[in-house]
Amino acid sequence: TFTMIVVGGNACMYEVCARVSDFVGFKFRDSRETCYMILYCVACTFNVLLDFVITYWTAFKIIKGLEFRTYFGIPIQHVSSFIDRFESYAMQRMLADQAFGYLFPSTCLVPFLLEPIITIWIPMKLGAIIVRCHPEIKGQEADSYLLGPVMEMGRYADIILNVILGNMIFFFPGGYTHTLFFGMAFSHLYIYCFDQYRVLRSVPACTFANNEVDWWSQVMIIPCVGMVLMCAIFKGNKQGYGYYLEGSSIVPVCIAAFFMHFIVHYALLVFIVPMFGKKNVPNEKMDAMTYREVNQGIAASWFSTNPVHCLRSQKIFKHAPHCTYHFLGKQHVLQVNESIGCYFCDDGGQTPRDDHDKDWHEISNAASDMARRISTRMSATFGGPSQPVVSADDDKSSED
């Protein structure tokens, strides 16, 4: 139940942040994706902190009613310091349960197991039913019902949220640490495989003009690293590392360390990291390419993606053949007319297509080859001396 509540809450935040980003009306999709990533991370982080505050007060009332005591035998209700209450075993245990349940499997596994069903399979089946039941739906409208979802950069926000939640477990006892991070490793391996399949087999197009989303994701990582520093300072207090802060005086120290790290990390990201980036090396071959050479290999151009230009070419200027509008997957209908800047030709739609099961065949062949190698190695190790393998070519050469 708790898992589905978390999944539903995160899905609601996903939809709200997406709609807000669309409502802003950014000129470029990169800016929209950046806005969505920041809004989603901040909103979910605030939601998590609010949940932990509620859990803290609920746990305090429970352990107070059960008359729990600290390590030194003091009843928990007689402890006035927030830090001493927070560090009590009962409080740490209940908050650790909350952190673990919130992240795994509620946040980093279940949503991604449901994602291919909810975002790809169900829409495709519903679209097929609608097109089959309505013969009046034809052409591009029918194609739109069967297209997969467009590529978006929401995965940055998903991974950053997982990192933030994973860092929170360091503030609590270590009983969940290994289990949590092994679970996160499995979850992110699945996410990588799913995204690989989604990009190659489902996404109709993926076009981003710059690295704006990637740069801001690096900025969003700064608080994650700052949380690790805060935890190290918090847990190192009174542990023989040279500082002994009583009561709640450790809190402002941790906050100051967090913001100092943020400033230093951001300065390194802005001023130092670009010094080690790739330099712009002149490429004489690319510089010498003409528009004609580029358009012969790329269907989308300023002309073929401009619907007004295509209408003017057909209805006003009456070009023969006219400039055809470029739809995804319909490159073969584009016609060559060099006089109006249309050079792309798909050879009558005879573009070779790979097998739909090509990826699976490659994986299965690689697995079979690895199994064969392991079997051969084990046979050579435990089965005693093996006879040399003689190929047909070697046998033929020996007969000669």
Side-chain angles (χ1 to χ4, degrees), residues 96-108:
D97 290 338
Q98 176 78 2
F100 180 80
Y102 201 102
L103 177 58
F104 187 83
S106 304
T107 301
C108 68

Side-chain angles (χ1 to χ4, degrees), residues 56-254:
Y56 171 83
W57 284 109
T58 304
F60 176 71
K61 296 297 182 182
I62 292 174
I63 61 181
K64 179 182 177 181
L66 296 176
E67 299 181 353
F68 279 29
R69 297 174 180 267
T70 65
Y71 175 79
F72 301 100
I74 303 174
I76 195 69
Q77 62 267 27
H78 295 161
V79 178
S80 59
S81 173
F82 165 76
I83 297 300
D84 293 335
R85 289 181 185 177
F86 183 80
E87 285 285 85
S88 63
Y89 176 78
M91 184 68 71
Q92 288 272 294
R93 188 68 181 181
M94 297 188 74
L95 292 175
D97 290 338
Q98 176 78 2
F100 180 80
Y102 201 102
L103 177 58
F104 187 83
S106 304
T107 301
C108 68
L109 181 59
V110 174
F112 304 105
L113 293 177
L114 298 176
E115 184 174 348
I117 300 174
I118 296 176
T119 64
I120 298 178
W121 188 80
I122 292 180
M124 183 184 66
K125 293 300 180 181
L126 291 177
I129 294 173
I130 293 173
V131 172
R132 183 172 66 246
C133 298
H134 294 271
E136 69 275 8
I137 300 178
K138 301 178 181 179
Q140 296 300 324
E141 186 180 3
D143 290 344
S144 64
Y145 280 98
L146 303 177
L147 281 178
V150 297
M151 184 63 182
E152 38 84 19
M153 295 285 101
R155 193 65 77 223
Y156 279 100
D158 296 332
I159 302 302
I160 292 173
L161 178 62
N162 291 345
V163 173
I164 292 174
L165 295 174
N167 287 340
M168 287 186 175
I169 204 68
F170 292 126
F171 287 92
F172 310 114
Y176 291 109
T177 305
H178 290 86
T179 304
L180 179 64
F181 277 88
F182 277 118
M184 288 182 65
F186 168 78
S187 300
H188 288 85
L189 181 62
Y190 164 77
I191 293 172
Y192 175 82
C193 295
F194 167 62
D195 284 345
Q196 177 81 359
Y197 175 85
R198 181 177 65 142
V199 171
L200 295 179
R201 299 297 182 185
S202 175
V203 173
C206 178
T207 303
F208 296 93
N210 54 48
N211 65 340
E212 182 179 357
V213 181
D214 184 75
W215 193 91
W216 280 102
S217 69
Q218 302 299 321
V219 176
M220 297 300 295
I221 286 292
I222 297 178
C224 302
V225 184
M227 289 178 61
V228 178
L229 177 60
M230 289 178 62
C231 181
I233 295 175
F234 182 82
K235 290 297 184 180
N237 187 30
K238 301 180 182 180
Q239 300 298 322
Y241 293 103
Y243 59 99
Y244 301 86
L245 301 175
E246 296 292 340
S248 300
S249 57
I250 187 65
V251 176
V253 175
C254 293

Side-chain angles (χ1 to χ4, degrees), residues 304-315:
S304 61
T305 57
N306 188 332
V308 176
H309 174 80
C310 295
L311 287 175
R312 292 172 60 192
S313 175
Q314 180 182 8
K315 303 297 184 181

Side-chain angles (χ1 to χ4, degrees), residues 387-399:
Q387 297 296 327
V389 179
V390 180
S391 63
D393 294 338
D394 294 338
D395 187 39
K396 183 179 179 179
S397 61
S398 61
E399 290 178 359

Side-chain angles (χ1 to χ4, degrees), residues 289-298 336 338 341-344:
M289 290 187 68
T290 62
Y291 166 79
R292 175 175 182 168
E293 295 173 336
V294 174
N295 188 221
Q296 286 176 345
I298 301 177
V336 177
E338 298 185 1
C342 298
Y343 300 96
F344 182 82

